[in-house]
Amino acid sequence: MRKPQDENECPDFASLDQADKDAAYNNTAAVSDSIQRLADWERRSAECRTRPGVRSDLRYGDKPNNRFDYFPSSTRGAPLFIFIHGGYWQRNSKEIFGFVSEGPCACGINVATIGYTLAPQAHLADIVDEVFLAIDHIAGMADELGFDANRIFVGGWSAGAHLATLAARSPVIRGVVSISGIFDLEPIRLTYLNELLQLRPIEIETLAPIRNLPERHCPVRLFFGGEELSELQRQSRAYGQCAQEAGLPVTATMLAGHNHYTIMEELAAPDGQLTRALEELVATTA
């Protein structure tokens, strides 16, 4: 287990008052049009689900949210990008994030967006288990859905980036794109977010990527916005540094001018920076 250090050292959250702790992770309050952006994403995602060939609400498990949507590219046997939505493990749904398929699908990459049980109906450990179940189930449907089972990549945004980074442990995953993620859970425990999450000590210790670097040398590409909250930026930089010091193929890249929400447009656009990064990851991963 490796810890962040030097300029990436976590500030002493315990010494901050509660308002400052909460503000440090409140992306909704930090971005004035965040609610409008989510509504726009949901509208665009509904349109994406009407495209020819899209399959919605496919089951991977028995729980209500154990479903995924599949957005095919025009090429059978193309790679697959599994996307995991954010919302601090306690809100949002896959129905809001189908719009991210537009960029990859235009570039010949199939996309699956997965749902999962939200807190407080599930503990974080349960959510992680559901994500791994989804990945394994989807991988087993390669012939039916028409993607290459040997070229499966995973990505996510915010809390979804946390889950995607943990998914680097899965032997079926060839690479990870994590966007504006959470990699250390201890600060989360000290904020308003823990009211519903109720993080347990074992989860903080075993489910924080920065405390549990993967044994597999799976390439991970971290991205964060230059206008994000400083804690979100620090988390990505700290994880990137720890992983690099451990010799893992992990990079952390700041996208200037983007906040926690606008950064997602770089994945939705066929020529977006995140779409290009995914294309490069797919092309360079044997």
Side-chain angles (χ1 to χ4, degrees):
M1 182 177 76
R2 301 176 67 88
K3 301 287 187 179
Q5 55 185 319
D6 299 332
E7 70 271 15
N8 293 316
E9 194 70 46
C10 179
D12 183 8
F13 251 58
S15 69
L16 300 177
D17 63 34
Q18 194 61 51
D20 286 340
K21 292 174 191 172
D22 292 346
Y25 283 93
N26 193 332
N27 293 300
T28 301
V31 180
S32 61
D33 64 347
S34 59
I35 302 302
Q36 291 89 339
R37 284 191 176 275
L38 284 171
D40 179 59
W41 292 354
E42 188 167 18
R43 176 190 59 78
R44 291 157 61 188
S45 296
E47 293 176 357
C48 287
R49 285 196 297 278
T50 66
R51 292 201 312 248
V54 172
R55 297 182 63 180
S56 300
D57 289 326
L58 299 174
R59 278 216 162 270
Y60 70 83
D62 296 331
K63 295 174 181 165
N65 285 0
N66 289 173
R67 300 173 185 267
F68 70 96
D69 296 339
Y70 182 74
F71 302 86
S73 69
S74 60
T75 305
R76 186 170 181 84
L80 174 67
F81 179 57
I82 298 174
F83 182 83
I84 308 170
H85 75 78
Y88 278 136
W89 310 276
Q90 57 194 264
R91 58 180 179 266
N92 296 334
S93 67
K94 68 176 176 61
E95 283 74 20
I96 299 175
F97 291 87
F99 80 101
V100 304
S101 65
E102 294 182 288
C105 283
C107 300
I109 300 171
N110 305 300
V111 175
T113 57
I114 67 172
Y116 51 88
T117 306
L118 303 174
Q121 281 70 42
H123 284 292
L124 183 57
D126 301 320
I127 294 171
V128 171
D129 286 345
E130 289 183 23
V131 167
F132 276 83
L133 177 64
I135 290 170
D136 288 344
H137 184 90
I138 294 170
M141 295 181 68
D143 290 340
E144 176 182 344
L145 295 176
F147 62 85
D148 186 346
N150 295 312
R151 293 190 294 166
I152 301 176
F153 299 80
V154 66
W157 169 73
S158 198
H162 160 266
L163 297 168
T165 304
L166 290 178
R169 304 172 184 174
S170 171
V172 306
I173 296 301
R174 305 304 305 277
V176 179
V177 177
S178 289
I179 308 163
S180 305
I182 299 295
F183 306 99
D184 183 5
L185 296 171
E186 177 59 20
I188 301 300
R189 182 185 69 82
L190 299 172
T191 72
Y192 72 103
L193 297 166
N194 203 42
E195 294 174 12
L196 294 182
L197 278 175
Q198 292 296 298
L199 288 168
R200 298 170 291 188
I202 189 66
E203 291 171 323
I204 293 170
E205 186 61 32
T206 63
L207 299 181
I210 202 165
R211 301 186 185 206
N212 301 271
L213 297 177
E215 295 182 2
R216 296 180 66 234
H217 278 230
C218 178
V220 178
R221 303 291 178 260
L222 310 177
F223 296 90
F224 58 94
E227 295 184 5
E228 298 222 41
L229 290 167
S230 60
E231 266 295 282
L232 271 292
Q233 296 189 42
R234 182 196 64 78
Q235 288 240 6
S236 288
R237 289 192 177 101
Y239 181 75
Q241 178 179 314
C242 286
Q244 289 167 11
E245 289 176 354
L248 296 173
V250 176
T251 61
T253 303
M254 181 187 75
L255 300 189
H258 280 297
N259 62 41
H260 195 65
Y261 294 85
T262 61
I263 193 171
M264 290 294 288
E265 300 302 334
E266 297 293 342
L267 182 58
D271 61 349
Q273 295 179 77
L274 295 177
T275 304
R276 292 200 302 268
L278 175 60
E279 282 188 283
E280 180 182 352
L281 183 62
V282 169
T284 58
T285 303

